[in-house]
Amino acid sequence: MWNSEWLRRQLRISPGCLYYPFSDQTISLSENIAEPSVFLKFHYNLYKRIEKIDKDVVHLQQIGPTEKIYILFLFPDTGKTRISSAVPMKKLILFLAVASTLSLFAQKPIEIPLWPDGAPNSNHLSEDPSYDPVLFVYPAQNPNGMAIIMCPGGGYTHLAMNHEGHDMAAWFNTQGITYVILKYRMPNGNYEVPFSDAEQAIHTIRTRATEWQIRPDRVGIMGASAGGHLASTLATHHSSPATRPDFQILLYPVITMDAEYTHAGSRRNLIGESPDTHLIAAYSNELRVNEKTPQAFIVLSSDDKAVPAENTIRYYRSLLQYDIPASLHAYPTGGHGWGFRDNFTYKRQWTEELEKWLREGLRF
């Protein structure tokens, strides 16, 4: 149920700042909104200004075609919202394409079991089907040949499947990129398990590349937080050219297992309470960079207290040492774990930078 308080909290709105296309002068927000998936009616004459919010009723005022507007997209199935930039009404036609694109949020992915014949190793959780590793594939409607495999974070105990996973699908699809989310297994005492899942994921996508018009030499790995550690592990530990990613995208990643700078929970859950020095070095990925490590795009917040910036800095220095192309973006605030959330102050900046890098910065 969406009421005025929910609207205020989600959008931080006040009367007069947001415009809606509704046919009546008021709309009740106390009723359930079940459909359509994109709650936008593109009727030129029906754009209204919010005049006031009175309890659960929004009072609307007609606006003219020359005024600038914001368009609010509501997704009842997921409870998500998206707001456009301010644009003149005369450019409304452009948003018809946007609405069509954003309807992809409702698209259901193709689910592919990662190990249909059984995994080669175990974390002793296999008796519970909810732990089974799965690939969620969102094929691009107009593919450019590129694919990205996303590893959500969660400290190697769980997975943030929405804001570090499914929420990014439509955004990547609009760029012509087939987007894949890897639901990988937790280590639970076996540090080899997540890595084997990552290798199997990229092998699977390359094996089925023609099915989604993917170029096998345009497959990248992406990860956030502990998922960034897994992504960088694949980038630095891949066992063969067949499982080497062509590029890597890391969001506030865990990189090192050095106790001074690592994320303690991720380290403990991956390699145990008292790992030996060999294991610490083996999974400190800044020490595993070499000339075969793929090009990188890295984003973080400087005030991240959960995963110190030193993780990224060490990795970036190692990439430069081997002349690996790398793009590093550090924002002053934001903390940790923002993913694709709208409340991250620099969301527009990092997403636009990544889009540009994917278009112009990659070297193949």
Side-chain angles (χ1 to χ4, degrees), residues 64-83:
T66 60
E67 295 190 59
K68 290 190 175 181
I69 64 168
Y70 290 86
I71 296 181
L72 169 67
F73 298 89
L74 304 178
F75 301 92
D77 291 342
T78 63
K80 301 298 180 183
T81 62
R82 294 290 180 270
I83 307 176

Side-chain angles (χ1 to χ4, degrees), residues 114 135 149 182 196-206 221:
L114 191 63
L135 291 176
I149 302 170
L182 169 60
S196 63
D197 285 358
E199 282 213 306
Q200 178 68 2
I202 197 167
H203 170 76
T204 300
I205 294 304
R206 284 188 168 136
I221 193 73

Side-chain angles (χ1 to χ4, degrees), residues 26-43:
T26 64
I27 179 171
S28 173
L29 295 177
S30 62
E31 298 177 359
N32 289 330
I33 300 175
E35 59 184 24
S37 295
V38 179
F39 193 68
L40 247 192
K41 301 294 187 181
F42 285 103
H43 298 298

